[in-house]
Amino acid sequence: MRRCSLHDPAQPAVCVTCARSAAARRARLQRLIVLGPLALVVAGGGAYLMTRPKPPAAPPPGDTIEGLQRGRLAKTPCDHETSMALVDHLIEQQRWRDATVFARSSLASCGVIGEMKWRLAYADGQLHDYADAERVTTELITEQPSDSDFWWWRGEDFSYHAQPEAALADFRQSLALSYSAQAAQFAANRFAVPAHDADATCEADRAWRYYVTVLAGEPAQEMRDEIAANARANTCTGELGTGRATIPSRTAVTMTAADATARGTLDVDARLGTTLISREFAARAGFVVADGPRCQATSRGKLYTGTPAKVTLRTGGAIARNVDVLITDDLEGDAAGILGLSFLWHFAFTYGENYTIELRPPSTKAI
């Protein structure tokens, strides 16, 4: 898959060290699998596999846990409980390749069993087979687009697979779907590397401020240092939202594009990670859409695909520049788009009465 392309002006590098030290294990597998102590290296409050382990020799059959499990599966190939126990055992043993071979065989023969795809995506990542992991996490997103975890799982695959813009889109979507700081921390802590690689420092800054000010998250010290450095250098001043507006959060709002004559009606959904713009409205507004692969976002349970771009949008007295959007053909009827988090977090925003969102200029102070 080719890399998504956005056109954000070059910006100073962010602290990559702190991001690369962030946890790379998947949150749900942490709760489901107890890994061997030699599998992990502790770093920055999390842990991740530093090198691919060399699989040990296969244990003798018959008198081992694995032998007993494989014996049961020889008689009943689609015994769900035994299948999950075996793949978990292989992961405990750090036998990532054996785990992926078994998981794929089980899925092909028996269909989806419990969280077998979760295990497969995790083991693929440990083998650094990020393209394979991405295919599995894409299946999970297609099946359950409103699950915030699956989006940061795939965002991590994109990030390691040198597709930073796609990673940012998925991390944004994970944050938008997260209702708490605990759920959002996994995506928030992973913004720095793809933001650096995509020359999008200020998108990471916005994500971190949203995590802290809206979700009440506790940023790591490195994250706090980056926010403070950006504030001191006025790095992102030109991308701060300006003006004020009160917009409905459940109905449509009229937006003005960079071209003052291009007006369109957009729905509003704060749980949408990347604002969606119809191709027709983009053409009227004069938005430049680069060739490239399609990235995804979700609104109200529906998946949308589109080409990434950066645009200027205005509603009422509020205007935001360098807003990440996806130009899409998937919108129904004559809707110009759906306004999402990628627009809202250019402002300090709160939820008001009667299902409204209050937009105001954000603070320039360090958090």
Side-chain angles (χ1 to χ4, degrees):
M1 180 183 294
R2 289 167 51 207
R3 181 182 306 189
C4 292
S5 176
L6 295 179
H7 300 285
D8 192 25
Q11 303 177 59
V14 300
C15 172
V16 180
T17 301
C18 61
R20 293 199 184 279
S21 69
R25 288 195 310 177
R26 308 212 185 279
R28 295 187 179 183
L29 293 184
Q30 286 179 305
R31 299 193 293 268
L32 296 171
I33 302 169
V34 180
L35 296 176
L38 298 181
L40 305 176
V41 175
V42 175
Y48 68 103
L49 187 70
M50 297 293 290
T51 58
R52 184 186 305 181
K54 182 178 181 180
D63 60 347
T64 65
I65 293 175
E66 181 181 349
L68 292 172
Q69 291 167 338
R70 290 193 182 275
R72 293 192 191 107
L73 291 172
K75 297 176 182 178
T76 311
C78 294
D79 180 330
H80 290 193
E81 183 178 350
T82 303
S83 295
M84 292 303 301
L86 176 54
V87 75
D88 284 348
H89 175 73
L90 294 172
I91 289 175
E92 273 185 42
Q93 298 296 311
Q94 306 168 43
R95 292 165 58 189
W96 314 115
R97 183 64 65 193
D98 290 343
T100 62
V101 169
F102 173 74
R104 284 194 166 84
S105 174
S106 178
L107 288 166
S109 300
C110 304
V112 178
I113 297 173
E115 290 87 25
M116 186 65 76
K117 286 186 179 180
W118 300 10
R119 288 2 183 231
L120 177 56
Y122 177 71
D124 276 334
Q126 298 305 303
L127 288 169
H128 303 186
D129 290 339
Y130 299 117
D132 288 339
E134 173 202 322
R135 282 189 281 271
V136 179
T137 48
T138 295
E139 290 180 13
L140 290 169
I141 287 171
T142 301
E143 294 162 4
Q144 298 184 60
S146 296
D147 190 307
S148 64
D149 282 342
F150 297 154
W151 289 92
W152 77 256
W153 290 8
R154 189 175 69 175
E156 191 172 63
D157 297 331
F158 280 135
S159 184
Y160 283 122
H161 201 203
Q163 298 182 74
E165 293 86 358
L168 289 174
D170 279 3
F171 290 152
R172 265 194 305 270
Q173 187 59 68
S174 182
L175 279 182
L177 291 170
S178 297
Y179 287 86
S180 69
Q182 182 179 7
Q185 63 180 316
F186 304 103
N189 285 328
R190 285 164 170 78
F191 262 84
V193 170
H196 171 266
D197 293 344
D199 292 327
T201 304
C202 293
E203 193 64 7
D205 193 79
R206 286 186 284 271
W208 294 334
R209 288 177 181 274
Y210 174 79
Y211 173 64
V212 174
T213 61
V214 177
L215 297 178
E218 277 294 328
Q221 186 59 49
E222 295 89 350
M223 183 190 297
R224 197 181 291 274
D225 289 344
E226 288 299 328
I227 295 173
N230 286 338
R232 286 194 302 270
N234 292 322
T235 302
C236 303
T237 301
E239 295 188 19
L240 295 177
T242 58
R244 297 173 179 267
T246 299
I247 63 175
S249 63
R250 289 191 175 180
T251 57
V253 60
T254 299
M255 298 293 297
T256 302
D259 180 348
T261 63
R263 293 181 178 272
T265 300
L266 282 73
D267 289 333
V268 182
D269 181 11
R271 298 298 171 190
L272 167 67
T274 307
T275 296
L276 300 168
I277 298 293
S278 73
R279 193 167 299 278
E280 184 273 336
F281 181 58
R284 284 196 290 116
F287 294 153
V288 177
V289 183
D291 292 334
R294 312 266 265 177
C295 299
Q296 287 188 307
T298 187
S299 176
R300 301 180 176 96
K302 181 178 178 180
L303 274 174
Y304 296 85
T305 58
T307 304
K310 281 189 177 290
V311 305
T312 296
L313 292 174
R314 179 199 313 267
T315 178
I319 182 169
R321 299 168 179 81
N322 269 352
V323 178
D324 284 276
V325 302
L326 295 179
I327 309 301
T328 182
D329 296 307
D330 295 343
L331 292 162
E332 298 177 353
D334 58 356
I338 305 176
L339 199 67
L341 185 60
S342 66
F343 172 82
L344 297 174
W345 71 14
H346 280 256
F347 302 87
F349 73 93
T350 54
Y351 295 96
E353 297 180 355
N354 300 319
Y355 305 108
T356 59
I357 298 175
E358 307 290 337
L359 302 178
R360 62 186 185 278
S363 171
T364 59
K365 295 181 180 179
I367 293 173

